Structure formats: structure tokens, C-alpha cells
Amino acid sequence: MKQTRQNIIEAARVLFEQKGFAAATTREIAERAGVSEVTLFRHFANKRALFDQTAHSCLHPYKIDHYLKEKVSYDLKRDLTQIACDMKDTFCRNAPMLRMVMRDKIRQSAPEMEMRQKEHHVHNNLLAYFETMRSKGRLSADPQMALKFFVTNITGFLMKELVAQTSESLDETYFSWMLDQVIAVLQNGTGKDTLC
């Protein structure tokens, strides 16, 4: 039963990524999964519920949360490099699905709200990390500003890559350089007076 559900989700992911939410039919998804449409609807109330579960399974679990709870070293460079790489890996694995969501402008679904709650949880854990680093004297920036600066730079780069769609691979050289610059600013406080 669990394998059938997983097969349906995997088939749905392929078709949603290829065709988009509106064009992919439950009949095609069922055929690709090797089940009947009736079986598909035993597992999912409707196509929207199937899409929501498919998107949820692509974007979770958050590796960042696990890292902050289980593996954090409190070495700013090591930790932020690992977190940024986890963000990048999640993005790369799910770029086609993310493009489809952006293209089809699918918004405000229940799993999207659940994802936002989980993102808020990760946000709070990252903030707690930056607060701890500040209290240990390893971060010169205000923790709230450090969090915004770090997340904005990483996600901004990833979103630019998502929208550009110029190649299948990210510019790893730029990503590494940018990450080094972000970490240097957070460690040393350089550039704090350069904003308008």
C-alpha cells in the first residue's frame, strides 16, 4: 500500500514537472504509476491533494534543521558552508518542480502553508544559531541582520539560477566565492556602514 502511494507520487512528480499542474491528468499519472485512476483516488482525494503531497515530498525533510540540532560545530565558516550547501542541494534536486510551481503560480495550498510553518521553524533555529554565535564572540553582526543577510544572498543566488534556466548546472565558482564573502562579512563586520 505504501509502495503504491510512493509510485503515484513519483509518477506525479515527473508529469507535473514535464507538463505543469493543469496539463498533467490523473489518468496519465495513474498509467505511469501502473495503477488505475480509482486506486489513485483511494490514496488522494483529488489532483490538488496529489500535487500538494508531491511538492511536500520533494522539499522535505529540511536537512538544515537536522544539522542545527545534531551536527552543529559552532565554527561559523564550517556551519554556514554546510547550511548553504544543503540549501543548494535541495534546490538542485527540486529545480524542475520549483520552476513548475513558479510557472503555474500555484499558491496557498495546505502543504504550502505547512512548508511555510516548517520554514519558520528552520528560520527560528537559524536565528538561535546566530544568537549563540554572537554570544560566543564569533559573529560581529546583529543576529537578525546576519540571518537576513545570509538567507537573502543564498536564496537570491538560487532564485536567479532558477529563473535564468541557462544551464543545468549552477555556477559553483561564483557560489563558493559569494559564500566566502558572506561569511567574511558576518565574521568581521566589514561593509556594515556601506548601505544607504
Side-chain angles (χ1 to χ4, degrees), residues 7-8 11-12 15 25-41 50:
N7 290 346
I8 294 168
L15 290 169
T25 67
T26 54
R27 174 187 246 172
E28 291 173 308
I29 293 167
E31 286 175 9
R32 184 173 184 93
V35 299
S36 69
E37 219 173 349
V38 171
T39 300
L40 184 147
F41 286 119
L50 173 56

Side-chain angles (χ1 to χ4, degrees), residues 17-194:
E17 287 174 354
Q18 288 175 355
K19 296 183 164 202
F21 176 78
T25 67
T26 54
R27 174 187 246 172
E28 291 173 308
I29 293 167
E31 286 175 9
R32 184 173 184 93
V35 299
S36 69
E37 219 173 349
V38 171
T39 300
L40 184 147
F41 286 119
R42 283 189 190 127
H43 289 271
F44 302 96
N46 52 42
K47 185 167 100 171
R48 169 55 100 181
L50 173 56
F51 171 78
D52 289 344
Q53 187 57 51
T54 302
H56 178 76
S57 69
C58 292
L59 301 174
H60 294 285
Y62 281 102
K63 287 182 174 181
I64 297 168
D65 217 20
H66 174 73
Y67 181 82
L68 288 170
K69 288 179 181 177
E70 306 290 329
K71 298 180 179 181
V72 68
S73 67
Y74 294 105
D75 174 301
L76 194 68
K77 183 167 179 57
R78 181 181 307 141
D79 290 338
L80 294 186
T81 299
Q82 183 62 51
I83 290 166
C85 288
D86 286 346
M87 291 170 72
K88 179 176 61 92
D89 291 346
T90 298
F91 165 83
C92 290
R93 240 187 354 270
N94 298 295
M97 180 63 84
L98 293 168
R99 282 189 191 101
M100 189 280 304
V101 169
M102 288 177 65
R103 184 181 64 238
D104 286 6
K105 296 184 174 102
I106 296 172
R107 299 285 184 259
Q108 298 305 320
S109 64
E112 182 178 338
M113 298 306 285
E114 184 180 327
M115 281 189 252
R116 286 184 183 175
Q117 288 172 346
K118 289 189 181 205
E119 287 168 5
H120 185 70
H121 182 71
V122 171
H123 175 275
N124 289 341
N125 286 339
L126 270 171
L127 179 58
Y129 171 79
F130 283 122
E131 288 169 346
T132 300
M133 293 302 282
R134 176 76 183 251
S135 71
K136 290 177 179 271
R138 296 179 189 156
L139 176 72
S140 65
D142 170 76
Q144 285 277 358
M145 293 299 158
L147 175 64
K148 288 179 185 177
F149 183 69
F150 177 73
V151 171
T152 300
N153 276 280
I154 303 304
T155 57
F157 168 77
L158 296 174
M159 290 306 291
K160 181 194 90 41
E161 294 290 312
L162 182 70
V163 172
Q165 297 184 38
T166 53
S167 69
E168 289 301 311
S169 61
L170 297 177
D171 184 345
E172 296 288 341
T173 303
Y174 177 78
F175 182 80
S176 294
W177 176 85
M178 176 200 60
L179 184 56
D180 286 343
Q181 301 311 305
V182 168
I183 292 168
V185 167
L186 294 176
Q187 280 178 325
N188 307 322
T190 25
K192 65 182 178 182
D193 297 326
T194 60

